[in-house]
Amino acid sequence: QDHAERLSKLEIKSTITASSAHRKAKDVDDVRERIRHFIEASELEIIVIVEGIEAQSSMTFQARHSYNSDDIVFDQWFARCMGTNPETGRIEIDLDRFHETVGIDPDDPDDDLFSAAYQSVL
């Protein structure tokens, strides 16, 4: 009887969890559409400035880029553009991939890119 009772509670919990996940997905879609509408309606522009120091000359450099509503995407993550060269062991940046994005699946908790994106905003 104790086993049957636990199984029943597990089934109820599973049903509630599935229902909550569906409601959460609907809420996320609603929030996403509200954000998209706000950005388009307000003609919002996001300006990103990256600043660094060049190691050889110690000179400061800046890169600027602006993004408007047409540039903003959801459920995407920037592709890896930096890595270690296996032959030299030096860190390299692939500037051709700098603006490349890859899709993530927010409904798949096992998606490594989604996990990385989620962790970066916490």
Side-chain angles (χ1 to χ4, degrees), residues 36-85:
R36 184 176 287 137
H37 177 73
F38 173 79
I39 291 170
E40 289 173 1
S42 64
E43 297 181 13
L44 184 73
E45 180 181 19
I46 299 171
I47 300 172
V48 177
I49 300 172
V50 177
E51 185 173 88
I53 299 174
E54 195 279 320
Q56 294 288 342
S57 64
S58 296
M59 293 180 63
T60 302
F61 66 91
Q62 280 188 349
R64 291 186 303 266
H65 192 82
S66 69
Y67 298 90
N68 62 29
S69 62
D70 296 332
D71 300 316
I72 297 172
V73 294
F74 293 88
D75 299 328
Q76 296 282 312
W77 190 249
F78 283 105
R80 292 187 187 273
C81 64
M82 191 169 85
T84 304
N85 182 319

Side-chain angles (χ1 to χ4, degrees), residues 15-30:
T15 303
I16 291 171
T17 303
S19 174
S20 299
H22 177 71
R23 187 171 52 252
K24 182 179 176 184
K26 186 178 177 186
D27 291 345
V28 168
D29 289 341
D30 182 50

Side-chain angles (χ1 to χ4, degrees), residues 78-94:
F78 283 105
R80 292 187 187 273
C81 64
M82 191 169 85
T84 304
N85 182 319
E87 295 175 13
T88 64
R90 299 179 78 177
I91 295 174
E92 295 180 345
I93 299 173
D94 183 353

